[in-house]
Amino acid sequence: MRLRESPLDPAHAVHDHTLPAGEPYLLAIEKGQTLRIVDLEGNQAVDVIFYNRDDPAEHYSATDTMLRQGGIYLTTDSVLVSNEGRAMLTIVADTCGRHDTLGGACASESNTVRYALQKKFMHSCRDNYLLALQQADIGLGKRDLVPNLNFFMNVPVTPEGGLQFADGVSAPGKYVELRAEMNLWMLVSNCPQLNNPCNAYNPTPARFLLWNA
């Protein structure tokens, strides 16, 4: 963990949006802008995918990012890398210290496998992604969904190589801040998961702020 606070003042942000629990969101970010994502009430997973706004075929790549970092967790100074091997964003401040690259987004299939057959039709992050893209009509769809990253989520790897969806290390007001290295679309699902104890079975809002360079 590399904790670092930000000097940026929310009063000077050019964009300030609070996203309700369980909702989707799509935001255009300009190169050089700084994005802050705030975990307002603590241990809320914010599932995000980034796309190059000038060429949406270029997108966040979990594998390239992990290879570049030499590790599976993201924190201050981590660089989010695209499938073209280019820097998309750099984490410039982080008061949480751990963000997940492996756990993926909940979907009807994973809800069925991890929880119970009757959970199949519960709202999921994959549903949120598809809804946001359909409403935005920017030329992206189901085939463009790729492995995401989960801000504020704690997913350790067990000695046997499995994933453990552990209690979070975040808390109310913790945030992560990223500088955009290219023009981006940010696709968000403020995770609606009601079956996982890591968020106390209680999805909560998240806040998004932008500052110009």
Side-chain angles (χ1 to χ4, degrees), residues 1 40 49 54 70 117 199:
M1 291 185 181
L40 289 174
I49 306 173
D54 300 317
L117 289 174
N199 66 353

Side-chain angles (χ1 to χ4, degrees), residues 127-145:
D127 293 340
N128 271 345
Y129 289 152
L130 293 174
L131 181 61
L133 292 178
Q134 182 182 45
Q135 291 176 339
D137 194 23
I138 56 173
L140 294 171
K142 183 185 291 188
R143 66 181 179 181
D144 300 297
L145 295 184

